[in-house]
Amino acid sequence: KKLPLQRYEYSHPQMGTIFRIVLYARSVPQAQAAAQAAFNRVDQLNQIMSDYIPDSELNQLSASAGTGKEVKLSPDLWQVLQISQEVARKTQGAFDVTVGPLVQLWRRSRRQQQLPSPEVLAKAKAATGYQHLHLNKKNQTAKLLVSGMQLDLGAIGKGYAVDEAMEVLRQKGIKIALVDGGGNIRVSKAPPGTKGWVLDLSISNETDHIGGKQIYLKHGGVATSGDLYQFVELNGLRYSHIINPFTGLGLTDQRRVTIVAKNGTNADWLSTALSVLPIKQALTLANRTPKAGAAIVSNINGTTQQQSRRFRQLKWVK
Ligand code: ADP
Ligand code: MG
Ligand code: MG
């Protein structure tokens, strides 16, 4: 006779956050082995996608910028860059993983408490632009055309990692699970006796609030962008860690975006892309992305709330 399913929970620090797994299994060894394998996969992806580890695959690729070299990519880096470039084209560069030089400047502004000079900013912008990243599908290679280019997967890597961790759990025989990588969530199947994983989707700013509500989710991904702690305040303006590639500076309009999508990867890139795009285009992109829903709270010209079609149709707990 089969043992009953029991709930197990594990956590593991990685990618500057804490990865958490909740899963249902029939024994401690099964649960532990599955969680361990999933966390190993996250570690492996960090070694590929990190912009902090000097010899990560991503940084080795960035180091080839301007040399004319075509660099062979691992299947994971290929996949993430392929998706990223598709999103960059769809958003006319609002989402752009070549923002590395601008992210470096943002970090420096935070340390030094001052904005970059126009010259420094112009130089970083010259080494930015998804059209300078060429992918060769046949050989699965990449070429960075401009020297000084630096790729940054901060807006998609954690979403991809939670999807891959879920895939490992599935291969280990775990069907019911939740993987959370710092608010990038992926769920699979409802826990026993429930209508789904209960997820808190309330988003708010100082003056306004959407939700205070929870949904049941059986399959899919969730992400929120607009983290309250990730900003630098200079001359009375708050610059978010999400960069507007057109100005080269952090966003200043304090928008908060919550996404429900078919997986963690889509939720992650959508939450960043919809933070940068003008509100109308943001909603259009949400409505055009299969199985995606978005709720946006912003306070440009007074407070506004917007919800895409599918977000309004979500099944709320109460
Ligand atoms: P989080 O840091 O919570 O994962 P996001 O998923 O929105 O939030 O990712 C923000 C990160 O993505 C930034 O810290 C930076 O590394 C990178 N980034 C910033 N601006 C952009 C942009 N316009 N397009 C793509 N990536 C960006
Ligand atoms: Mg993101
Ligand atoms: Mg993210």
Side-chain angles (χ1 to χ4, degrees):
K1 191 174 142 234
K2 262 202 208 165
L3 291 165
L5 281 170
Q6 286 200 57
R7 183 183 190 276
Y8 297 88
E9 191 168 340
Y10 302 93
S11 67
H12 178 71
Q14 189 53 278
M15 300 188 179
T17 186
I18 297 189
F19 276 73
R20 210 166 54 87
I21 291 176
V22 181
L23 59 81
Y24 285 80
R26 298 189 190 278
S27 73
V28 174
Q30 187 203 8
Q32 271 179 355
Q36 191 56 59
F39 288 143
N40 287 347
R41 178 76 173 119
V42 174
D43 292 349
Q44 181 194 31
L45 288 172
N46 186 56
Q47 181 62 44
I48 292 170
M49 300 191 293
S50 171
D51 63 318
Y52 283 99
I53 299 174
D55 71 344
S56 70
E57 187 184 354
L58 187 79
N59 280 341
Q60 291 187 43
L61 173 59
S62 294
S64 76
T67 63
K69 257 189 237 151
E70 274 201 23
V71 179
K72 176 82 184 153
L73 305 181
S74 67
D76 289 311
L77 192 54
W78 168 261
Q79 173 82 359
V80 172
L81 289 180
Q82 166 76 35
I83 297 167
S84 296
Q85 289 295 80
E86 218 174 276
V87 176
R89 286 190 292 272
K90 257 198 286 229
T91 62
Q92 282 97 44
F95 178 98
D96 186 338
V97 295
T98 70
V99 291
L102 298 170
V103 172
Q104 303 291 343
L105 280 191
W106 181 88
R107 289 183 187 148
R108 198 206 290 177
S109 304
R110 187 168 57 171
R111 279 196 308 276
Q112 300 181 343
Q113 291 297 302
Q114 61 174 13
L115 290 176
S117 69
E119 295 76 31
V120 167
L121 185 60
K123 203 172 159 224
K125 281 180 77 174
T128 300
Y130 68 96
Q131 62 280 12
H132 306 312
L133 165 61
H134 282 191
L135 298 181
N136 179 324
K137 188 166 186 171
K138 186 159 154 275
N139 306 328
Q140 304 220 334
T141 57
K143 188 154 110 182
L144 279 60
L145 270 54
V146 178
S147 80
M149 284 177 76
Q150 169 73 54
L151 304 183
D152 183 317
L153 297 176
I156 187 170
K158 290 194 289 283
Y160 183 78
V162 298
D163 288 341
E164 290 304 302
M166 184 63 85
E167 175 58 20
V168 169
L169 294 177
R170 197 187 61 78
Q171 286 164 10
K172 293 282 173 187
I174 305 295
K175 295 203 182 83
I176 308 170
L178 175 150
V179 183
D180 176 3
N184 295 278
I185 293 169
R186 171 71 192 268
V187 299
S188 168
K189 263 191 113 178
T194 73
K195 291 189 204 164
W197 295 89
V198 178
L199 300 177
D200 191 339
L201 292 195
S202 53
I203 55 170
S204 51
N205 57 18
E206 285 79 3
T207 51
D208 217 331
H209 205 63
I210 284 183
K213 284 181 175 177
Q214 300 168 321
I215 55 158
Y216 293 115
L217 193 65
K218 283 186 202 154
H219 292 280
V222 171
T224 295
S225 85
D227 188 305
L228 281 175
Y229 305 100
Q230 293 266 50
F231 64 86
V232 49
E233 188 162 338
L234 297 167
N235 309 328
L237 270 182
R238 276 165 66 144
Y239 295 89
S240 158
H241 72 309
I242 298 176
I243 307 286
N244 179 344
F246 308 106
T247 64
L249 299 172
L251 298 174
T252 51
D253 66 359
Q254 293 184 42
R255 192 184 291 175
R256 303 201 76 198
V257 179
T258 293
I259 303 288
V260 177
K262 72 169 186 192
N263 58 32
T265 306
N266 282 15
D268 198 356
W269 68 250
L270 268 167
S271 69
T272 308
L274 269 54
S275 297
V276 181
L277 283 170
I279 205 103
K280 254 188 90 179
Q281 283 164 251
L283 284 169
T284 303
L285 180 57
N287 283 330
R288 281 189 187 155
T289 306
K291 297 184 178 170
I296 303 172
V297 176
S298 54
N299 56 4
I300 341 143
N301 309 326
T303 301
T304 55
Q305 293 186 7
Q306 311 269 354
Q307 296 175 46
S308 71
R309 211 180 311 123
R310 191 170 293 269
F311 193 91
R312 287 193 301 268
Q313 293 163 354
L314 289 172
K315 292 239 158 34
W316 299 91
V317 174
K318 273 188 197 99

